[in-house]
Amino acid sequence: QSVLTQPPSASGTPGQRVTISCSGSSSNIGSNTVNWYQQLPGTAPKLLMYSNNQRPSGVPDRFSGSRSGTSASLAISGLQSEDEADYYCAAWDDSLNGPVFGGGTKLTVL
Amino acid sequence: EVQLVQSGGGLVKPGGSLRLSCAASGFTFSDVWMSWVRQAPGKGLEWVGRIKSKTDGGTTDYAAPVKGRFIISRDDSKNTLYLQMNSLKSEDTAVYYCTARGSFDYWGQGTRVTVSS
């Protein structure tokens, strides 16, 4: 049972826009920034978004992030086949005194 | 280019010990907070613990499931991070990743640890 809640799966067709949600509480998302990670099959995770909506160098602007209250979301526009991966949200948790992750969302490009 | 190259891992019996290493290059290792994150088979990501830079005190923090059993250390002269795992349990079976910086900006390739009799 993960502290942050994500839908286990999401899907879309090439070119579509897909949104992945991440729900938390006042001790994590409600008071700290959210990061997103992309894990391609069989590889290590990669930082995709930090501080809610900042893209590291090299991440396409098709990816965007937002946070509102105790929830956050990752949006992928112009979906491509190479976006098929697992996506994880994370945030520091003040009660647990450590970072917590969502359970991950498996994105399928149909 | 930032690189985190991990070594160690393998099969160990319950109650046993294992040490993982993570050799860093491409950035000033001594300035960076480092963490370990693990992923059990077919599961999501779980933070294991972190070590701050010596400038920030060099202190460590651990997740509750591993506190008192795992020890994170660093050798800035060798640009290497370590994870000493003691009193291993079956539930510690996972791929372990070393990560750099507070947002887990960079990740190692992962190393598999299997705890089984």
Side-chain angles (χ1 to χ4, degrees), chain A residues 37 39 44-45 88 92 99 101, chain B residues 39 47 50 97 103-104 107-108:
Chain A
Y37 304 89
Q39 186 174 31
Y88 295 90
W92 184 267
F101 288 92
Chain B
Q39 186 170 33
W47 178 71
R50 71 174 180 191
Y97 296 99
S103 295
F104 308 146
W107 295 66

Side-chain angles (χ1 to χ4, degrees), chain A residues 7-85:
Chain A
S9 63
S11 63
T13 55
Q16 267 191 331
R17 184 176 188 270
V18 169
T19 300
I20 297 172
S21 63
C22 175
S23 178
S25 68
S26 58
S27 65
N28 41 65
I29 294 178
S31 51
N32 296 290
T33 60
V34 177
N35 301 325
W36 290 89
Y37 304 89
Q38 177 193 58
Q39 186 174 31
L40 297 170
T43 70
K46 163 193 161 185
L47 179 65
L48 190 68
M49 196 75 55
Y50 66 96
S51 296
N52 303 325
N53 56 15
Q54 301 299 301
R55 281 177 283 105
S57 174
V59 173
D61 59 8
R62 303 187 293 106
F63 293 88
S64 61
S66 63
R67 180 189 69 166
S68 178
T70 58
S71 293
S73 62
L74 174 73
I76 309 171
S77 60
L79 199 61
Q80 298 181 4
S81 58
E82 56 259 40
D83 298 333
E84 194 161 279

